[in-house]
């Protein structure tokens, strides 16, 4: 573990990574963060903290810390902008004189250079000479070994880690470079930590486990990034969010735990953001997602996978927006506006991805209804209803034409069967598609979008081209919530309504849906929906392929239904 931690610490960037770990170490030692890193002029100080010096007999001091990345050598000591010496001079000459809080001016001052490398031998004399010139201050170097030791002792309770847990962490990190790795060891890590949380006998011990879980996940995500495999990052982060929330099924997290849940949400959003930043350029390239695959089925699968991650990102931003927008805190409202603007950008990119990869309009798997719903829900919640209608029109036209001319239609997820249908025309023309959940979703979304024209078009195709395909819709039941965090819940919970008949008019069907929603919606009582963490259920659907709950679109049918 110490070797793994050393590699992790050494890989951290100065801004937003190494400084975050240092803040956690300070808090774990009972030191209060008075001001944290921010952009702009800081006069050498990245972290301003006050508390007992855990490295020097617990004497109460002011800590003024400058954070640097890598080794300390002659180049970064005094030969470039923001060098170590320049930062130290600014701390002494400007920050100490002008920026210390009045209540801290009588306390001893400790100036620290924190870095995740080593000090070169050629620089040691410079450091000794500098500190000897200013004996009124206490100086310290917190190097890589300091971080590793503090991380291990204060942030990871490794003495409480079983051999299985340590082994699973190592195996996870070793296998992350394998793009086909199924993350089984990582799931085992989360399972073991969740069990530690459940058996912990005090709230303090439980919080400790939650912090350990977040730190282990952060470390794994960093290794995913180092392995240039951000898809693993997204999947690991999703597993973490689902496992984390599963600890609180049956009730909202107590306020004492809620902070860790929100921190987990921020970590997931950061992971999605990194994925988006790396691949957003592909959204505008014609057939850009098809250039790395050799056949249309693989191309279609890649498009839907990427679209799902894109739309999850946008919806998660909207989840964070809704958390913050209704309070009285002006800073929170400003942050909410930023989340909203980012969600709009993501939605625009998702539309670009669809327009650039027209194969989207001929889905091959029935459960691709998940990604279609995520896209339509994102557009709807942003008020982009006309764009959502355009997406539905394209799906209606292309699904009908693909079935009429080539007998291609979304089949249930059996890769061998779908591959054979894709490759063998004779087999495809004899194949009985039997039933469809996806087509039912499209019809109900035409009602949500209040397009009677689209509804009539879908009904016409169903009554003529697809008359032998039965319409299905899956509903969760009371047992479903316990399953969605770890598996596909379609088979072992819930029930499917089959043989759905389409009324002649959209208004008639709409009334039926409204009535059914009022009287038959188990998911309204699921913890994450009752507590307005609705994004959790969408993550579970994308990750484990559980069908989207009808609540997610039927709640839009009427504003007064949503409030019932």
């Amino acid at each position: 573990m110490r070797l793994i931690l050393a590699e992790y610490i050494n890989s951290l960037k100065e801004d937003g990574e190494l400084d975050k770990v240092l803040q956690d170490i300070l808090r774990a030692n009972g030191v209060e963060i008075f001001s944290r890193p921010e952009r702009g002029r800081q006069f050498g100080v990245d972290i301003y903290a006050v508390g007992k010096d855990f490295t020097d007999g617990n004497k109460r001091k002011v800590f003024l810390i400058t954070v640097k990345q890598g080794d300390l050598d002659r180049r970064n000591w005094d030969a470039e902008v923001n060098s170590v010496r320049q930062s130290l001079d600014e701390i002494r000459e400007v920050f100490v004189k002008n920026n210390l809080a009045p209540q801290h001016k009588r306390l001893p001052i400790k100036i620290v250079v924190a870095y995740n490398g080593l000090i070169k031998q050629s620089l040691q004399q410079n450091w000794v000479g500098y500190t000897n010139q200013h004996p009124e201050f206490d100086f310290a170097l917190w190097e890589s070994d300091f971080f590793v030791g503090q991380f291990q002792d204060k942030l990871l309770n490794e003495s409480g880690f079983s051999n299985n847990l340590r082994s699973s962490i190592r195996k996870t990190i070793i296998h992350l470079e394998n793009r086909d790795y199924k993350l089984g060891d990582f799931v085992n890590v989360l399972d073991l930590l969740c069990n530690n949380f459940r058996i912990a006998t005090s709230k303090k011990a439980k919080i400790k486990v939650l912090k350990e879980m977040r730190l282990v996940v952060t470390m794994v995500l960093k290794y995913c990034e180092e392995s240039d495999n951000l898809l693993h990052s997204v999947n690991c982060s999703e597993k973490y969010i689902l496992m984390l929330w599963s600890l609180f099924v049956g009730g909202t997290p107590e306020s004492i735990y809620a902070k860790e849940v929100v921190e987990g949400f921020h970590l997931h959003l950061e992971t999605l953001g990194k994925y988006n930043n790396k691949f957003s350029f592909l959204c505008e390239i014609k057939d850009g997602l098809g250039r790395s695959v050799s056949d249309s089925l693989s191309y279609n699968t890649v498009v839907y996978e990427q679209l799902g991650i894109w739309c999850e990102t946008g919806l998660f931003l909207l989840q964070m927006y809704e958390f913050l927008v209704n309070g009285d805190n002006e800073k929170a409202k400003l942050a909410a506006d930023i989340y909203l603007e980012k969600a709009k950008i993501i939605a625009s990119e998702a539309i670009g991805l669809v327009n650039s990869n027209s194969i989207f309009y001929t889905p091959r798997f029935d459960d691709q209804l998940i990604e279609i719903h995520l896209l339509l829900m994102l557009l709807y919640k942003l008020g982009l209803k006309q764009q959502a209608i355009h997406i539905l029109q394209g799906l209606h036209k292309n699904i009908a034409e693909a079935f009429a001319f080539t007998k291609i239609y979304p089949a249930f997820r059996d890769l061998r069967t779908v591959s054979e249908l894709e490759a063998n025309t004779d087999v495809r023309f004899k194949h009985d598609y039997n039933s469809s959940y996806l087509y039912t979703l499209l019809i109900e979304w035409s009602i949500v979008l209040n397009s009677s024209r689209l509804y009539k078009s879908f009904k016409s195709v169903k009554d003529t081209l697809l008359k032998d395909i039965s319409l299905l819709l899956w509903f969760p039941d009371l047992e479903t919530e316990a399953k969605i965090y770890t598996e596909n819940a379609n088979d072992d919970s819930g029930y499917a309504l089959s043989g759905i008949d389409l009324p002649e008019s959209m208004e008639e069907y709409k009334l039926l849906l409204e009535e059914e929603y009022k009287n038959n919606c188990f998911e309204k009582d699921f913890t994450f929906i009752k507590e307005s963490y609705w994004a959790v259920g969408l993550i579970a659907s994308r990750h484990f392929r559980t069908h989207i709950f009808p609540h997610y679109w039927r709640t839009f049918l009427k504003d007064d239904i949503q409030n019932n």
Side-chain angles (χ1 to χ4, degrees), residues 140-409:
L141 296 173
W142 289 351
E143 77 301 322
S144 178
D145 282 348
F146 167 86
F147 277 94
V148 172
Q150 287 292 319
F151 196 111
Q152 185 168 309
D153 294 341
K154 294 295 183 179
L155 302 183
L156 288 180
N157 183 22
E158 193 180 5
S159 61
F161 279 9
S162 66
N163 289 333
N164 286 340
L165 185 52
R166 287 196 292 271
S167 175
S168 293
I169 292 173
R170 293 189 188 100
K171 288 178 181 177
T172 299
I173 291 169
I174 289 169
H175 291 127
L176 286 175
E177 291 187 359
N178 179 3
R179 296 185 180 275
D180 296 324
Y181 179 47
K182 299 304 182 184
L183 303 173
D185 299 300
F186 181 69
V187 172
N188 192 41
V189 169
L190 295 178
D191 281 338
L192 291 165
L193 287 168
C194 285
N195 186 58
N196 288 350
F197 176 86
R198 294 186 180 99
I199 64 177
T201 56
S202 69
K203 290 182 178 180
K204 184 177 180 180
K206 287 180 179 291
I207 291 172
K208 177 76 171 177
V209 174
L210 293 179
K211 289 182 180 294
E212 287 175 350
M213 186 185 297
R214 177 161 55 88
L215 286 164
V216 169
V217 171
T218 302
M219 186 167 61
V220 169
L221 295 179
K222 182 64 178 177
Y223 274 99
C224 290
E225 191 175 348
E226 292 294 310
S227 300
D228 195 26
N229 197 336
L230 293 186
L231 185 57
H232 276 346
S233 289
V234 171
N235 288 324
C236 285
S237 186
E238 287 179 339
K239 289 181 185 296
Y240 165 56
I241 288 295
L242 296 174
M243 285 286 209
L244 181 63
W245 189 264
S246 73
L247 296 172
F248 306 104
V249 171
T252 182
E254 295 180 51
S255 58
I256 196 170
Y257 305 129
K259 182 180 179 182
E260 278 303 313
V261 174
V262 173
E263 288 288 347
F265 273 49
H266 280 294
L267 181 58
H268 183 53
L269 188 56
E270 182 180 319
T271 303
L272 292 170
K274 287 179 180 178
Y275 191 93
N276 171 262
N277 290 338
K278 183 172 182 178
F279 296 110
S280 60
F281 75 96
L282 289 172
C283 294
E284 302 301 327
I285 299 176
K286 180 69 174 174
D287 297 321
L289 294 176
R291 299 186 181 186
S292 61
V293 294
S294 57
D295 61 90
S296 60
L297 180 57
S298 298
Y299 180 22
N300 180 270
T301 302
V302 168
V303 167
Y304 270 88
E305 181 177 55
Q306 300 308 311
L307 181 65
I309 296 173
W310 237 253
C311 294
E312 181 182 318
T313 305
L315 289 165
F316 210 79
L317 285 163
L318 290 179
Q319 171 79 89
M320 303 300 284
Y321 164 78
E322 291 179 11
F323 282 156
L324 299 172
V325 73
N326 294 320
D328 296 327
N329 187 304
E330 289 303 317
K331 286 187 177 180
K333 289 183 178 180
L334 181 61
D337 290 340
I338 293 172
Y339 285 136
L340 180 60
E341 290 306 310
K342 286 183 177 180
K344 291 177 181 178
I345 293 171
I346 293 293
S348 175
E349 291 175 346
I351 293 171
L353 189 153
V354 167
N355 291 338
S356 299
N357 299 274
S358 58
I359 198 169
F360 160 82
Y361 286 106
T362 50
R364 299 297 203 268
F365 294 97
D366 190 76
D367 69 355
Q368 287 173 334
L369 66 88
I370 295 168
E371 285 74 25
I372 292 171
H373 168 80
L374 294 179
L375 175 59
L376 295 174
M377 183 175 175
L378 175 61
L379 298 178
Y380 187 93
K381 287 180 77 69
L382 287 171
L384 303 175
K385 297 180 184 179
Q386 197 54 51
Q387 289 88 331
I389 288 174
H390 180 75
I391 296 291
L392 270 185
Q393 289 170 335
L395 286 164
H396 164 265
K397 175 179 179 293
N398 283 273
I399 288 174
E401 289 181 353
F403 188 82
F405 297 134
T406 62
K407 198 73 185 305
I408 289 177
Y409 188 80

Side-chain angles (χ1 to χ4, degrees), residues 495-514:
Y495 62 95
L497 185 64
S498 61
I500 297 172
D501 292 323
L502 302 178
E504 286 299 321
S505 74
M506 185 187 78
E507 287 302 320
E508 186 179 352
Y509 196 6
K510 185 176 181 180
L511 290 173
L512 290 173
L513 297 185
E514 291 173 355

Side-chain angles (χ1 to χ4, degrees), residues 14 16-27 31-38 42-50 62-68 91 95 100 110-112 114 142 147:
E14 179 180 319
E17 295 183 350
L18 189 62
D19 52 11
K20 280 186 178 179
V21 170
L22 182 52
Q23 289 176 74
D24 286 338
I25 289 171
L26 291 170
R27 291 191 185 98
V31 177
E32 178 185 1
I33 308 295
F34 199 73
S35 69
R36 63 189 67 194
E38 58 185 39
Q42 300 174 76
F43 303 107
V45 175
D46 291 306
I47 299 173
Y48 171 11
V50 179
V62 172
F63 293 85
L64 302 180
I65 305 172
T66 184
V67 181
K68 305 296 181 182
I91 293 172
F95 194 95
L100 281 185
K110 183 163 189 168
I111 299 175
V112 179
W142 289 351
F147 277 94

